[in-house]
Amino acid sequence: MDTKIGALDVVPVSNGNVCCPPKTAVASCVQSSPVSFNSSEATLGRHLARRLVQIGVSDVFSVPGDFNLTLLDHLIAEPGLNLIGCCNELNAGYAADGYARSRGVGACVVTFTVGGLSVLNAIAGAYSENLPVVCIVGGPNSNDYGTNRILHHTIGLPDFSQELRCFQTVTCYQAVVNNLEDAHEQIDTAISTALKESKPVYISIGCNLSAIPHPTFSREPVPFSLPPKLSNRMGLEAAVEAAAEFLNKAVKPVTAQDVSTMLRCGQNNIIFLINNGGYTIEVEIHDGPYNVIKNWNYTALVDAIHNGEGKCWTTKVFYEEELIEAIETAMGAKKDCLCFIEVMAHKDDTSKELLEWGSRVSAANSRPPNPQ
């Protein structure tokens, strides 16, 4: 007889293993060997990573923040998972949306509140389009709940549920993981609900829990069952052709905001872009490859937006003397232009205060859970 565990279909067999559901599912079930307790693979972070891989997610879209850095370490350690850093949370959310449309399910990882509220529009869009997107948020230290402390990344209140309440209306399931005992159950229920209802889900994970092993993460996982999703190829091709035709006829198919608006309005602001090639603040808290970004030619980007219309002057400076000269030019000969000065800074150019602050935040985030 078949046995059902929550929303997951499993079939017990004589050798004690769990076999895949019938072949009506599109995605195959992943059979991995149980990992030993206290190994680097029996942690909450690796459990989540494995479960994402098992439902067909091979790319996760992320923006680092101090509450999710350790979790990101465990995601990139999973062989079948590729972490894609995005410029902002909204981009990450829309990338996961597009991934879900193409692959059946998508996932994104952001940080608490400042990242969660930023990604919210994309998740709401996925909800309206019936797309299973797993939105993972690195949450506060599990010890901080109920302490009436006011933390950074909040809206200045000791209540940490603001983000959760926002997601309740645009996700079909919400899991706030604050202890290890039921973490595997909460994660598995969230993912299976997303697949069953074809809607986004919200998973918040305490920043101090991702690296901790637990016996429940070393068990043979129950395989997920993915129902078949049929695509109307002819309809899809027709839609793509119609969209391409519409964009090709458009006079202004893409409109850049901010700088283009300043140029159009004839503003003569001076814009400084400090380019240090990555997330220096996050590096001082917890370093990792996700803190290094692909650099752009920002002055060329502004020149492209300028496109010979309006008054614009751009320059790139590497030394203090060049910066002084650029400021003098912007306030003198080019004072009637929109001036864009890109300041190239070393990635480790930071203050003593920031170094000390990073150490304190790292220590606070990594406090082990209090005894239950």
Side-chain angles (χ1 to χ4, degrees):
M1 62 179 284
D2 289 355
T3 303
K4 290 187 180 291
I5 300 180
L8 309 180
D9 292 341
V10 296
V11 183
V13 292
S14 58
N15 64 2
N17 293 326
V18 178
C19 70
C20 296
K23 293 184 178 179
T24 54
V26 168
S28 61
C29 297
V30 177
Q31 293 295 318
S32 56
S33 302
V35 295
S36 60
F37 178 54
N38 281 333
S39 77
S40 61
E41 297 182 358
T43 62
L44 188 157
R46 289 301 295 276
H47 173 77
L48 174 60
R50 286 193 299 272
R51 292 312 246 166
L52 291 175
V53 171
Q54 288 165 5
I55 61 173
V57 173
S58 57
D59 300 281
V60 175
F61 304 92
S62 69
V63 176
D66 64 294
F67 285 129
N68 69 12
L69 299 177
T70 303
L71 175 60
L72 296 181
D73 281 340
H74 288 262
L75 295 180
I76 63 177
E78 182 63 29
L81 209 56
N82 182 34
L83 199 67
I84 300 177
C86 298
C87 294
N88 59 60
E89 291 83 3
L90 190 58
N91 286 1
Y94 282 126
D97 174 300
Y99 193 92
R101 294 171 190 266
S102 173
R103 300 285 294 272
V105 59
C108 58
V109 184
V110 299
T111 194
F112 179 60
T113 302
V114 64
L117 297 185
S118 181
V119 78
L120 196 62
N121 270 354
I123 300 303
Y127 188 90
S128 67
E129 295 289 332
N130 297 317
L131 297 171
V133 173
V134 181
C135 181
I136 304 160
V137 175
N141 189 291
S142 61
N143 300 316
D144 289 330
Y145 283 85
T147 62
N148 287 326
R149 296 180 61 193
I150 296 178
L151 298 182
H152 64 299
H153 287 200
T154 66
I155 60 173
L157 299 174
D159 175 14
F160 301 159
S161 65
Q162 313 99 338
E163 178 184 85
L164 171 63
R165 294 198 301 271
C166 291
F167 275 93
Q168 284 174 338
T169 59
V170 294
T171 56
C172 65
Y173 187 87
Q174 306 83 38
V176 178
V177 180
N178 285 331
N179 66 81
L180 297 174
E181 297 299 326
D182 64 349
H184 71 290
E185 181 179 348
Q186 288 205 68
I187 290 172
D188 287 4
T189 302
I191 294 176
S192 62
T193 303
L195 299 177
K196 183 175 70 172
E197 299 191 16
S198 193
K199 293 282 190 182
V201 293
Y202 165 87
I203 302 176
S204 172
I205 296 179
C207 63
N208 59 327
L209 302 181
S210 298
I212 303 178
H214 193 270
T216 56
F217 305 136
S218 62
R219 298 173 185 167
E220 182 75 17
V222 177
F224 289 111
S225 174
L226 287 143
K229 288 182 177 292
L230 302 178
S231 174
N232 185 333
R233 182 173 294 276
M234 292 182 62
L236 177 61
E237 290 176 354
V240 170
E241 290 178 3
E245 182 181 0
F246 174 79
L247 290 174
N248 288 335
K249 290 180 178 178
V251 178
K252 295 182 179 179
V254 181
T255 306
Q257 301 175 9
D258 300 334
V259 173
S260 61
T261 302
M262 294 177 189
L263 284 169
R264 181 170 56 85
C265 296
Q267 295 187 10
N268 57 349
N269 301 342
I270 301 177
I271 301 173
F272 293 93
L273 187 143
I274 311 300
N275 185 350
N276 60 8
Y279 299 101
T280 297
I281 291 179
E282 316 302 336
V283 167
E284 303 309 330
I285 298 171
H286 182 103
D287 202 4
Y290 33 77
N291 291 325
V292 179
I293 63 174
K294 172 67 177 70
N295 225 332
W296 293 3
N297 189 339
Y298 293 98
T299 54
L301 178 62
V302 174
D303 288 335
I305 295 173
H306 173 216
N307 196 27
E309 300 176 4
K311 295 182 177 181
C312 181
W313 178 72
T314 65
T315 188
K316 188 178 297 187
V317 300
F318 295 85
Y319 305 102
E320 182 178 356
E321 295 79 10
E322 294 177 341
L323 176 59
I324 294 172
E325 181 179 348
I327 294 173
E328 290 175 350
T329 301
M331 298 181 68
K334 300 295 183 180
K335 65 180 180 181
D336 61 340
C337 298
L338 174 69
C339 296
F340 182 90
I341 302 173
E342 183 178 0
V343 182
M344 310 302 293
H346 192 276
K347 65 183 181 65
D348 295 324
D349 185 1
T350 185
S351 65
K352 173 186 175 184
E353 290 77 12
L354 179 58
L355 290 172
E356 293 173 349
W357 179 85
S359 297
R360 291 197 298 268
V361 172
S362 177
N365 287 351
S366 60
R367 285 169 293 151
N370 292 329
Q372 297 294 322

